Structure formats: structure tokens, C-alpha cells
Amino acid sequence: MSHRNSHERMHSDAAYQAEVKNYENGVRYLQKQNFEKAKESFEKVLEGPAGEITDRARVYLRVCEQRLERQRTTPRSAQEFYVLAVAQLNARELEAAFENLQKANQLEPERGHIRYAMAAVHALQGNTDAALDHLKAAIEIEPRNRIQARRDEDFHSLAEDSRFKRLISAESFASSGTTS
């Protein structure tokens, strides 16, 4: 039995030492802001024998997960800024939407869908001239934006503006012989 007890204690000590090493590695990665590696190390701590460092590892693990989530939700590409802006536009968070659309436009200038959304934000804010400028650019880049703008409630405030009517009318097509 004494041989078994010493073997268990050695095994237990080895497991504890591994737990401490993983914890220390996790703290080092956390300090370097390598949250993915830190998370992996803290998860290994939780797999080991329950000890005094398990609770601290659990707290640090939550910090890593929060930081990683924040990194995933921070837009980096024009498309990510655009998607975030559209969600904000739909929630009528117009200032935030416009800021993200500007960032998207800086990353990928002259994209029709971005300029269209910028026009919608301006229209909802009552900035008629800016809305019309962006809508005109959006239609020049992508002519089908003209059709979409006709049905888009975001442009309701522009409905009676003659410049808006000209932008969305079929007569703007060179090939169309229709008049209004």
C-alpha cells in the first residue's frame, strides 16, 4: 500500500505541476494579449485536479473569451463595416451607421451598396442634398439602385423632391424613350 500511496502522490504532484505550468503559460500569453493561446492554457488547467489555481484560471478564461469575442465583433473589412452599419441603420442608430459606412467607403471607395446606404442615412436625417448626392453616385455605380430607391421607405422624405423624382425615373435611362 505504501508503494501505491507514493505512486499516487507522485502522479498527483506531476498533475499539479502540469496545472501550475499551464496556469503560468496562460498568464504569460494573457500579458502578451495572445488570448487564443491563453484560453487554451487556462482550459488545460481546468482539466487538471481541482486546486487553488483552478478558480483563478476560470476567471482568466472568462477574460480571454470576452476579449476574443470583442476581437471577432470588431469590423475590419469594408463588408464587415457595411453589415454593421446596415444593422445600425435598421435600428435607427443613424450616427453610428454613418460612421461605419464612411469607414467602409474609405476601405472600398465607390461601392454602390455602400453609397446607397449612405444616401438612406442622410435621407432619414433630413439631409436632402447629401442624400441625393450619394444616391446619384449609387445609381451611377449600380443602375439597379434606381429601382430599389423607388420602393425604399428610407427615401420617403425625398418623395416630393423633383431631383429625387428625376433620379429614380425611367427617363433617366438613355435607352428609354419614356417621358414623365
Side-chain angles (χ1 to χ4, degrees), residues 16-47:
Y16 180 75
Q17 292 304 317
E19 193 173 355
V20 169
K21 185 174 176 19
N22 284 322
Y23 177 81
E24 289 171 347
N25 286 340
V27 170
R28 266 195 296 282
Y29 285 126
L30 187 62
Q31 289 169 340
K32 294 178 182 176
Q33 296 190 11
N34 185 339
F35 302 113
E36 194 63 50
K37 290 281 191 187
K39 179 178 180 258
E40 290 172 16
S41 294
F42 291 129
E43 285 172 338
K44 287 178 186 172
V45 171
L46 299 180
E47 292 169 4

mmCIF file of all heavy atoms in Angstrom, residues 16-47:
data_model
loop_
_atom_site.group_PDB
_atom_site.id
_atom_site.type_symbol
_atom_site.label_atom_id
_atom_site.label_comp_id
_atom_site.label_asym_id
_atom_site.label_seq_id
_atom_site.Cartn_x
_atom_site.Cartn_y
_atom_site.Cartn_z
ATOM 1 N N TYR A 16 -0.271 18.253 -10.635
ATOM 2 C CA TYR A 16 -0.322 19.605 -10.065
ATOM 3 C C TYR A 16 0.720 20.501 -10.729
ATOM 4 O O TYR A 16 0.441 21.649 -11.068
ATOM 5 C CB TYR A 16 -0.098 19.553 -8.541
ATOM 6 C CG TYR A 16 -0.135 20.913 -7.902
ATOM 7 C CD1 TYR A 16 -1.349 21.576 -7.715
ATOM 8 C CD2 TYR A 16 1.037 21.554 -7.513
ATOM 9 C CE1 TYR A 16 -1.397 22.835 -7.148
ATOM 10 C CE2 TYR A 16 1.004 22.815 -6.951
ATOM 11 C CZ TYR A 16 -0.212 23.452 -6.766
ATOM 12 O OH TYR A 16 -0.254 24.705 -6.212
ATOM 13 N N GLN A 17 1.922 19.974 -10.941
ATOM 14 C CA GLN A 17 2.974 20.747 -11.593
ATOM 15 C C GLN A 17 2.571 21.127 -13.032
ATOM 16 O O GLN A 17 2.832 22.241 -13.485
ATOM 17 C CB GLN A 17 4.301 19.970 -11.595
ATOM 18 C CG GLN A 17 4.907 19.788 -10.226
ATOM 19 C CD GLN A 17 5.123 21.113 -9.504
ATOM 20 O OE1 GLN A 17 5.585 22.096 -10.093
ATOM 21 N NE2 GLN A 17 4.769 21.140 -8.223
ATOM 22 N N ALA A 18 1.920 20.201 -13.717
ATOM 23 C CA ALA A 18 1.442 20.494 -15.071
ATOM 24 C C ALA A 18 0.378 21.582 -15.030
ATOM 25 O O ALA A 18 0.354 22.477 -15.885
ATOM 26 C CB ALA A 18 0.887 19.223 -15.717
ATOM 27 N N GLU A 19 -0.472 21.501 -14.014
ATOM 28 C CA GLU A 19 -1.521 22.515 -13.863
ATOM 29 C C GLU A 19 -0.897 23.896 -13.624
ATOM 30 O O GLU A 19 -1.298 24.884 -14.234
ATOM 31 C CB GLU A 19 -2.420 22.111 -12.680
ATOM 32 C CG GLU A 19 -3.705 22.884 -12.589
ATOM 33 C CD GLU A 19 -4.619 22.307 -11.502
ATOM 34 O OE1 GLU A 19 -4.319 21.270 -10.888
ATOM 35 O OE2 GLU A 19 -5.662 22.944 -11.282
ATOM 36 N N VAL A 20 0.107 23.949 -12.750
ATOM 37 C CA VAL A 20 0.795 25.211 -12.456
ATOM 38 C C VAL A 20 1.478 25.742 -13.713
ATOM 39 O O VAL A 20 1.393 26.932 -14.034
ATOM 40 C CB VAL A 20 1.817 25.034 -11.306
ATOM 41 C CG1 VAL A 20 2.723 26.248 -11.181
ATOM 42 C CG2 VAL A 20 1.095 24.761 -9.999
ATOM 43 N N LYS A 21 2.144 24.843 -14.451
ATOM 44 C CA LYS A 21 2.829 25.260 -15.687
ATOM 45 C C LYS A 21 1.817 25.824 -16.705
ATOM 46 O O LYS A 21 2.062 26.862 -17.330
ATOM 47 C CB LYS A 21 3.586 24.073 -16.276
ATOM 48 C CG LYS A 21 4.424 24.427 -17.496
ATOM 49 C CD LYS A 21 5.230 23.207 -17.902
ATOM 50 C CE LYS A 21 6.010 23.285 -19.075
ATOM 51 N NZ LYS A 21 6.530 24.092 -19.879
ATOM 52 N N ASN A 22 0.695 25.149 -16.888
ATOM 53 C CA ASN A 22 -0.330 25.647 -17.807
ATOM 54 C C ASN A 22 -0.870 27.000 -17.345
ATOM 55 O O ASN A 22 -1.104 27.892 -18.159
ATOM 56 C CB ASN A 22 -1.481 24.638 -17.931
ATOM 57 C CG ASN A 22 -1.108 23.458 -18.803
ATOM 58 O OD1 ASN A 22 -0.421 23.617 -19.802
ATOM 59 N ND2 ASN A 22 -1.556 22.278 -18.415
ATOM 60 N N TYR A 23 -1.048 27.142 -16.041
ATOM 61 C CA TYR A 23 -1.541 28.411 -15.497
ATOM 62 C C TYR A 23 -0.533 29.536 -15.788
ATOM 63 O O TYR A 23 -0.908 30.602 -16.274
ATOM 64 C CB TYR A 23 -1.779 28.286 -13.989
ATOM 65 C CG TYR A 23 -2.219 29.570 -13.347
ATOM 66 C CD1 TYR A 23 -3.552 29.970 -13.413
ATOM 67 C CD2 TYR A 23 -1.322 30.389 -12.683
ATOM 68 C CE1 TYR A 23 -3.970 31.154 -12.844
ATOM 69 C CE2 TYR A 23 -1.723 31.574 -12.111
ATOM 70 C CZ TYR A 23 -3.050 31.949 -12.184
ATOM 71 O OH TYR A 23 -3.456 33.137 -11.626
ATOM 72 N N GLU A 24 0.734 29.269 -15.524
ATOM 73 C CA GLU A 24 1.772 30.286 -15.765
ATOM 74 C C GLU A 24 1.861 30.633 -17.251
ATOM 75 O O GLU A 24 2.018 31.797 -17.615
ATOM 76 C CB GLU A 24 3.125 29.784 -15.238
ATOM 77 C CG GLU A 24 3.176 29.743 -13.728
ATOM 78 C CD GLU A 24 4.422 29.047 -13.180
ATOM 79 O OE1 GLU A 24 5.146 28.361 -13.966
ATOM 80 O OE2 GLU A 24 4.665 29.180 -11.970
ATOM 81 N N ASN A 25 1.774 29.612 -18.106
ATOM 82 C CA ASN A 25 1.775 29.867 -19.559
ATOM 83 C C ASN A 25 0.580 30.736 -19.938
ATOM 84 O O ASN A 25 0.707 31.668 -20.737
ATOM 85 C CB ASN A 25 1.728 28.554 -20.346
ATOM 86 C CG ASN A 25 3.043 27.813 -20.316
ATOM 87 O OD1 ASN A 25 4.094 28.396 -20.050
ATOM 88 N ND2 ASN A 25 2.997 26.517 -20.573
ATOM 89 N N GLY A 26 -0.575 30.423 -19.377
ATOM 90 C CA GLY A 26 -1.772 31.199 -19.657
ATOM 91 C C GLY A 26 -1.604 32.660 -19.267
ATOM 92 O O GLY A 26 -1.967 33.561 -20.024
ATOM 93 N N VAL A 27 -1.038 32.891 -18.096
ATOM 94 C CA VAL A 27 -0.816 34.270 -17.636
ATOM 95 C C VAL A 27 0.147 34.994 -18.570
ATOM 96 O O VAL A 27 -0.069 36.154 -18.952
ATOM 97 C CB VAL A 27 -0.310 34.295 -16.171
ATOM 98 C CG1 VAL A 27 0.141 35.691 -15.775
ATOM 99 C CG2 VAL A 27 -1.400 33.795 -15.233
ATOM 100 N N ARG A 28 1.216 34.296 -18.990
ATOM 101 C CA ARG A 28 2.180 34.918 -19.923
ATOM 102 C C ARG A 28 1.506 35.280 -21.252
ATOM 103 O O ARG A 28 1.700 36.376 -21.773
ATOM 104 C CB ARG A 28 3.357 33.974 -20.175
ATOM 105 C CG ARG A 28 4.540 34.225 -19.246
ATOM 106 C CD ARG A 28 5.811 33.543 -19.734
ATOM 107 N NE ARG A 28 5.723 32.087 -19.743
ATOM 108 C CZ ARG A 28 5.839 31.323 -18.668
ATOM 109 N NH1 ARG A 28 6.046 31.853 -17.495
ATOM 110 N NH2 ARG A 28 5.752 30.008 -18.768
ATOM 111 N N TYR A 29 0.725 34.352 -21.800
ATOM 112 C CA TYR A 29 0.017 34.637 -23.052
ATOM 113 C C TYR A 29 -0.977 35.777 -22.871
ATOM 114 O O TYR A 29 -1.136 36.618 -23.753
ATOM 115 C CB TYR A 29 -0.713 33.390 -23.568
ATOM 116 C CG TYR A 29 0.182 32.350 -24.190
ATOM 117 C CD1 TYR A 29 0.148 31.031 -23.751
ATOM 118 C CD2 TYR A 29 1.049 32.675 -25.232
ATOM 119 C CE1 TYR A 29 0.951 30.059 -24.324
ATOM 120 C CE2 TYR A 29 1.862 31.715 -25.812
ATOM 121 C CZ TYR A 29 1.812 30.415 -25.358
ATOM 122 O OH TYR A 29 2.611 29.470 -25.936
ATOM 123 N N LEU A 30 -1.629 35.805 -21.736
ATOM 124 C CA LEU A 30 -2.596 36.874 -21.458
ATOM 125 C C LEU A 30 -1.896 38.224 -21.436
ATOM 126 O O LEU A 30 -2.394 39.198 -22.003
ATOM 127 C CB LEU A 30 -3.309 36.600 -20.127
ATOM 128 C CG LEU A 30 -4.460 37.510 -19.763
ATOM 129 C CD1 LEU A 30 -5.583 37.416 -20.789
ATOM 130 C CD2 LEU A 30 -5.001 37.147 -18.377
ATOM 131 N N GLN A 31 -0.724 38.284 -20.799
ATOM 132 C CA GLN A 31 0.041 39.534 -20.748
ATOM 133 C C GLN A 31 0.472 39.987 -22.137
ATOM 134 O O GLN A 31 0.560 41.176 -22.412
ATOM 135 C CB GLN A 31 1.262 39.375 -19.840
ATOM 136 C CG GLN A 31 0.892 39.274 -18.370
ATOM 137 C CD GLN A 31 2.057 38.863 -17.490
ATOM 138 O OE1 GLN A 31 3.049 38.299 -17.958
ATOM 139 N NE2 GLN A 31 1.927 39.127 -16.204
ATOM 140 N N LYS A 32 0.721 39.027 -23.014
ATOM 141 C CA LYS A 32 1.107 39.347 -24.400
ATOM 142 C C LYS A 32 -0.108 39.580 -25.291
ATOM 143 O O LYS A 32 0.029 39.802 -26.485
ATOM 144 C CB LYS A 32 1.958 38.206 -24.985
ATOM 145 C CG LYS A 32 3.290 38.036 -24.324
ATOM 146 C CD LYS A 32 4.022 36.855 -24.940
ATOM 147 C CE LYS A 32 5.350 36.617 -24.263
ATOM 148 N NZ LYS A 32 6.025 35.428 -24.777
ATOM 149 N N GLN A 33 -1.290 39.484 -24.696
ATOM 150 C CA GLN A 33 -2.566 39.658 -25.391
ATOM 151 C C GLN A 33 -2.774 38.622 -26.496
ATOM 152 O O GLN A 33 -3.432 38.884 -27.495
ATOM 153 C CB GLN A 33 -2.719 41.082 -25.920
ATOM 154 C CG GLN A 33 -2.758 42.092 -24.803
ATOM 155 C CD GLN A 33 -3.144 43.467 -25.271
ATOM 156 O OE1 GLN A 33 -3.579 43.671 -26.388
ATOM 157 N NE2 GLN A 33 -2.992 44.432 -24.383
ATOM 158 N N ASN A 34 -2.201 37.447 -26.294
ATOM 159 C CA ASN A 34 -2.461 36.320 -27.191
ATOM 160 C C ASN A 34 -3.574 35.513 -26.521
ATOM 161 O O ASN A 34 -3.334 34.524 -25.834
ATOM 162 C CB ASN A 34 -1.196 35.477 -27.393
ATOM 163 C CG ASN A 34 -1.396 34.378 -28.411
ATOM 164 O OD1 ASN A 34 -2.530 33.975 -28.698
ATOM 165 N ND2 ASN A 34 -0.301 33.879 -28.958
ATOM 166 N N PHE A 35 -4.805 35.965 -26.696
ATOM 167 C CA PHE A 35 -5.940 35.448 -25.948
ATOM 168 C C PHE A 35 -6.291 34.011 -26.330
ATOM 169 O O PHE A 35 -6.765 33.251 -25.497
ATOM 170 C CB PHE A 35 -7.147 36.373 -26.105
ATOM 171 C CG PHE A 35 -6.856 37.770 -25.648
ATOM 172 C CD1 PHE A 35 -6.829 38.821 -26.556
ATOM 173 C CD2 PHE A 35 -6.578 38.035 -24.317
ATOM 174 C CE1 PHE A 35 -6.540 40.108 -26.139
ATOM 175 C CE2 PHE A 35 -6.289 39.320 -23.893
ATOM 176 C CZ PHE A 35 -6.267 40.360 -24.795
ATOM 177 N N GLU A 36 -6.030 33.637 -27.578
ATOM 178 C CA GLU A 36 -6.332 32.276 -28.018
ATOM 179 C C GLU A 36 -5.442 31.273 -27.290
ATOM 180 O O GLU A 36 -5.918 30.277 -26.750
ATOM 181 C CB GLU A 36 -6.153 32.167 -29.541
ATOM 182 C CG GLU A 36 -6.747 30.920 -30.134
ATOM 183 C CD GLU A 36 -8.257 30.829 -29.974
ATOM 184 O OE1 GLU A 36 -8.968 31.787 -30.303
ATOM 185 O OE2 GLU A 36 -8.716 29.766 -29.498
ATOM 186 N N LYS A 37 -4.130 31.540 -27.262
ATOM 187 C CA LYS A 37 -3.187 30.638 -26.572
ATOM 188 C C LYS A 37 -3.445 30.655 -25.067
ATOM 189 O O LYS A 37 -3.373 29.615 -24.410
ATOM 190 C CB LYS A 37 -1.743 31.057 -26.848
ATOM 191 C CG LYS A 37 -1.301 30.801 -28.260
ATOM 192 C CD LYS A 37 -0.953 29.348 -28.422
ATOM 193 C CE LYS A 37 -0.261 29.143 -29.751
ATOM 194 N NZ LYS A 37 -0.048 27.743 -30.041
ATOM 195 N N ALA A 38 -3.734 31.824 -24.514
ATOM 196 C CA ALA A 38 -4.027 31.918 -23.080
ATOM 197 C C ALA A 38 -5.255 31.088 -22.743
ATOM 198 O O ALA A 38 -5.262 30.343 -21.759
ATOM 199 C CB ALA A 38 -4.236 33.383 -22.680
ATOM 200 N N LYS A 39 -6.271 31.182 -23.576
ATOM 201 C CA LYS A 39 -7.505 30.412 -23.364
ATOM 202 C C LYS A 39 -7.203 28.911 -23.353
ATOM 203 O O LYS A 39 -7.669 28.176 -22.480
ATOM 204 C CB LYS A 39 -8.512 30.758 -24.462
ATOM 205 C CG LYS A 39 -9.824 30.026 -24.383
ATOM 206 C CD LYS A 39 -10.750 30.498 -25.513
ATOM 207 C CE LYS A 39 -12.073 29.783 -25.447
ATOM 208 N NZ LYS A 39 -12.216 28.727 -26.412
ATOM 209 N N GLU A 40 -6.400 28.471 -24.307
ATOM 210 C CA GLU A 40 -6.026 27.051 -24.369
ATOM 211 C C GLU A 40 -5.325 26.613 -23.081
ATOM 212 O O GLU A 40 -5.615 25.542 -22.537
ATOM 213 C CB GLU A 40 -5.111 26.790 -25.566
ATOM 214 C CG GLU A 40 -5.789 26.894 -26.913
ATOM 215 C CD GLU A 40 -4.808 26.824 -28.077
ATOM 216 O OE1 GLU A 40 -3.640 26.386 -27.875
ATOM 217 O OE2 GLU A 40 -5.187 27.218 -29.192
ATOM 218 N N SER A 41 -4.403 27.438 -22.606
ATOM 219 C CA SER A 41 -3.662 27.095 -21.385
ATOM 220 C C SER A 41 -4.588 27.040 -20.176
ATOM 221 O O SER A 41 -4.492 26.119 -19.357
ATOM 222 C CB SER A 41 -2.544 28.117 -21.133
ATOM 223 O OG SER A 41 -1.581 28.043 -22.151
ATOM 224 N N PHE A 42 -5.471 28.002 -20.039
ATOM 225 C CA PHE A 42 -6.384 28.018 -18.885
ATOM 226 C C PHE A 42 -7.379 26.853 -18.952
ATOM 227 O O PHE A 42 -7.763 26.304 -17.919
ATOM 228 C CB PHE A 42 -7.110 29.354 -18.780
ATOM 229 C CG PHE A 42 -6.200 30.497 -18.401
ATOM 230 C CD1 PHE A 42 -6.187 31.661 -19.147
ATOM 231 C CD2 PHE A 42 -5.350 30.392 -17.305
ATOM 232 C CE1 PHE A 42 -5.340 32.706 -18.803
ATOM 233 C CE2 PHE A 42 -4.491 31.433 -16.962
ATOM 234 C CZ PHE A 42 -4.482 32.597 -17.713
ATOM 235 N N GLU A 43 -7.775 26.459 -20.159
ATOM 236 C CA GLU A 43 -8.661 25.300 -20.289
ATOM 237 C C GLU A 43 -7.962 24.024 -19.813
ATOM 238 O O GLU A 43 -8.592 23.161 -19.201
ATOM 239 C CB GLU A 43 -9.137 25.150 -21.743
ATOM 240 C CG GLU A 43 -10.180 26.173 -22.121
ATOM 241 C CD GLU A 43 -10.532 26.184 -23.605
ATOM 242 O OE1 GLU A 43 -9.709 25.713 -24.443
ATOM 243 O OE2 GLU A 43 -11.624 26.683 -23.931
ATOM 244 N N LYS A 44 -6.661 23.920 -20.072
ATOM 245 C CA LYS A 44 -5.901 22.758 -19.597
ATOM 246 C C LYS A 44 -5.843 22.740 -18.072
ATOM 247 O O LYS A 44 -5.875 21.675 -17.460
ATOM 248 C CB LYS A 44 -4.488 22.765 -20.181
ATOM 249 C CG LYS A 44 -4.446 22.418 -21.653
ATOM 250 C CD LYS A 44 -3.031 22.493 -22.187
ATOM 251 C CE LYS A 44 -3.005 22.286 -23.685
ATOM 252 N NZ LYS A 44 -1.669 22.532 -24.247
ATOM 253 N N VAL A 45 -5.746 23.920 -17.463
ATOM 254 C CA VAL A 45 -5.735 23.999 -16.001
ATOM 255 C C VAL A 45 -7.034 23.414 -15.455
ATOM 256 O O VAL A 45 -7.028 22.655 -14.484
ATOM 257 C CB VAL A 45 -5.554 25.457 -15.508
ATOM 258 C CG1 VAL A 45 -5.760 25.553 -14.003
ATOM 259 C CG2 VAL A 45 -4.189 25.995 -15.900
ATOM 260 N N LEU A 46 -8.135 23.754 -16.098
ATOM 261 C CA LEU A 46 -9.436 23.282 -15.621
ATOM 262 C C LEU A 46 -9.601 21.773 -15.775
ATOM 263 O O LEU A 46 -10.403 21.159 -15.084
ATOM 264 C CB LEU A 46 -10.566 24.012 -16.343
ATOM 265 C CG LEU A 46 -10.608 25.531 -16.146
ATOM 266 C CD1 LEU A 46 -11.776 26.130 -16.917
ATOM 267 C CD2 LEU A 46 -10.676 25.903 -14.684
ATOM 268 N N GLU A 47 -8.838 21.171 -16.684
ATOM 269 C CA GLU A 47 -8.897 19.722 -16.886
ATOM 270 C C GLU A 47 -8.149 18.979 -15.790
ATOM 271 O O GLU A 47 -8.389 17.808 -15.556
ATOM 272 C CB GLU A 47 -8.293 19.348 -18.244
ATOM 273 C CG GLU A 47 -9.100 19.829 -19.421
ATOM 274 C CD GLU A 47 -8.358 19.680 -20.755
ATOM 275 O OE1 GLU A 47 -7.232 19.117 -20.776
ATOM 276 O OE2 GLU A 47 -8.904 20.134 -21.768
#
